[in-house]
Amino acid sequence: MWVVATAGHVDHGKSTLVRALTGMEPDRWAEERRRGMTIDLGFAWTTLPSGGTVAFVDVPGHERFVPNMLAGVGPAPAALMVVAADEGWMPQSAEHLAALHALGVPYGLLAVTRADLADPGPAMAQAREEIAATSLGAVEAVAVSGLTGAGLPQLRAALDRLAARLPAPGDGGPVRLWVDRSFTIRGSGTVVTGTLGAGRLRVGDELELAGTGETVRVRGLQTLGAPATEVTAVARVAVNLRGTARDRLTRGDALLSPGRFHRTEVVDVRVAGDEAAQLPSTLTLHVGSAAVPVRVRPLGADTVRLRLARPLPLLIGDRALLRDPGRHHVAGGVTVLDVAPPPLVRRGAAVARAAVLAGLDGRADLAGELRRRLLARSADLTRMGVPVDVPPVGGDWLADPEHWRGLGVRLVQEVARHGREHPLEPGAPVEVLRQRLALPDRALVEALVRPPLRLVGGRVTAAAVDALPAPVAQAVQRIRAEYGHRPFQAPEADRLADLGLGPREIGAAVRAGALLRLAENVVLLPDVLDDAVRVLAGLPQPFTLSAARQALETTRRVAVPLLELLDRRGATRRLPDDARIVVG
């Protein structure tokens, strides 16, 4: 299926043309049929000569109903511009074309209607000239009469050729169905309609409401008036929602693939049209079927910050338009550059931001986003419309490679700094390092730990032997001097206290590899284990605790934890009768 929106001045025959092409009545309201003027959106479809189906979104042409027109044109990929032969180019012809250009619609046709009432040549020539200067470019033109049927076969063939030019949509992308109608069917509940521009919908799917973020489930689907279990883009679709009140959705809302869109109230955009500095402070942003008041803050020559009256599910690269409803004026087309921009609070921030935006083109670029943001969650980037194809550095965080390397260098420096400031602590706490590096998540600190650093018990320390504070180093030297010739005897607790070695000082010495702790207040010099194994290997195997104590010339206070440590390291093995043997 292809979807085409009509556009053109009021009473130029858009609905008559759609009726003649499809045999369906696009004007849904009795008032529209009574007045002979389209007020709201209408929908109809027909089969083309190729066998394909084209669905029309018929829009009102009167200036009072331009917001309705924009709600229909916004999600449509192509347009059928309609100009009457007997009236030619008119004010709403110009405004509708300006809207199509602002939205960047690249595909279209020109139908010159009422060719039975006047020579279509002059109107066609002027319309093609006007259209050629816009995003539609050079379009095929057909003269028709909805009354007599003249030119309708040629228009059908032209629609086939237009359809052949339209790019194939990606059915694997996320769903963002802008709602253009919401109503209730007795026995079925709430139904919404819209143009599915990307992705696919299935009965049973869970979706998010853009306005509230709540989850809804698809109870049923229809397309072109027929039930369907699955609908792929591009298509007109009606979605029956299970257990959802009608007042939960209105025109301008959207149904979204869960977790795939960033609902934002602040966006930075590029404007093509009026100069940024000349824009009014308040305008209306039209995107999809939504129309939202915005406050405008100029940044650069063609870039502005928009603050939305309500959040919208926008992506980098989205096209929209700004309109001044008071002047019935399209101020310009909008390309979304950033859906999560930084606050502008410091002096000169706006100027700096304008310089950044000057280098953006609205294309989602992972490397560029990371270069600007330095760190970002993978899910957040996906919701902005940025394709993520690299693994996270820690948790679900992605990082700019250069920034990440710099953080690794700074981490080593901060660990060393903490060691100098707190020499008796067992390393720098992860939370302290997170704050010093201004990181948003402890997982990033842990991911940065590389040799010579190590992470133990929520603290980061250097794996290499660190220099001890002078008093502790001197106390260790005293122990070495006093006990070096009797290595398996340990200083008593009062002697350790006399040397100034309390629990924190002992801990620092143990971490530095200057002492070996067997138990609380039981320490030896660090190089005694190999000597102990050599002495014990010289005993008749197996040997008892008493024999080991005598051979090592030590006390039970030392021998028990020393043998237990050798057991844990696999140097000795304890037998069922509590004797031991040296292993290996």
Side-chain angles (χ1 to χ4, degrees), residues 428-431 442 446 455-460:
V430 168
E431 178 59 21
R442 291 166 57 99
E446 296 171 357
L455 177 66
V456 180
R459 292 175 178 264
V460 180

Side-chain angles (χ1 to χ4, degrees), residues 84-86 112-120 143-150:
D86 58 336
V112 179
T113 58
R114 302 215 287 257
D116 56 316
L117 299 181
D119 177 7
V144 298
S145 170
L147 182 63
T148 68

Side-chain angles (χ1 to χ4, degrees), residues 16-283:
T16 300
L17 183 59
V18 170
R19 194 178 301 115
L21 284 168
T22 67
M24 303 175 67
E25 176 56 70
D27 288 338
R28 297 178 291 113
W29 307 113
E31 182 183 0
E32 293 179 306
R33 293 190 289 273
R34 178 179 59 82
R35 297 170 61 180
M37 182 177 70
T38 301
I39 298 172
D40 205 349
L41 301 178
F43 309 100
W45 56 89
T46 188
T47 301
L48 296 175
S50 66
T53 301
V54 59
F56 294 100
V57 180
D58 188 34
V59 306
H62 197 282
E63 65 179 5
R64 286 187 297 163
F65 306 118
V66 168
N68 292 349
M69 173 268 178
L70 293 172
V73 168
L80 175 62
M81 193 75 194
V82 177
V83 177
D86 58 336
E87 290 191 357
W89 197 252
M90 296 290 283
Q92 291 324 114
S93 306
E95 185 170 10
H96 283 205
L97 180 61
L100 295 173
H101 178 60
L103 292 169
V105 178
Y107 301 99
L109 283 175
L110 169 63
V112 179
T113 58
R114 302 215 287 257
D116 56 316
L117 299 181
D119 177 7
M124 184 180 293
Q126 182 181 6
R128 295 187 74 172
E129 182 180 355
E130 297 283 351
I131 294 170
T134 71
S135 61
L136 292 170
V139 297
E140 186 174 356
V142 181
V144 298
S145 170
L147 182 63
T148 68
L152 290 181
Q154 291 82 359
L155 181 57
R156 289 177 179 277
L159 284 166
D160 248 339
R161 289 189 290 272
L162 172 65
R165 294 169 50 217
L166 296 178
D171 59 6
V175 168
R176 179 174 52 177
L177 182 72
W178 292 103
V179 174
D180 51 38
R181 291 178 65 202
S182 174
F183 52 93
T184 301
I185 296 179
R186 185 183 298 275
S188 296
T190 298
V191 176
V192 299
T193 67
T195 299
L196 181 64
R200 65 177 61 219
L201 284 171
R202 299 180 180 89
V203 173
D205 279 355
E206 284 192 347
L207 301 170
E208 287 180 357
L209 298 185
T212 63
E214 66 184 284
T215 300
V216 295
R217 187 177 293 276
V218 177
R219 179 181 183 180
L221 294 170
Q222 275 197 4
T223 182
L224 305 184
T229 58
E230 177 179 289
V231 179
T232 59
V234 171
R236 286 294 303 174
V237 62
V239 185
N240 180 201
L241 298 174
R242 187 185 304 277
T244 305
R246 178 185 172 184
D247 60 5
R248 305 297 293 176
L249 294 105
T250 59
R251 175 175 293 172
D253 208 329
L255 297 177
L256 310 173
S257 292
R260 295 298 300 272
F261 291 87
H262 180 71
R263 289 182 285 270
T264 181
E265 293 178 337
V266 180
V267 290
D268 287 347
V269 304
R270 173 164 288 112
V271 179
D274 295 353
E275 292 184 15
Q278 302 303 317
L279 293 173
S281 61
T282 59
L283 290 169

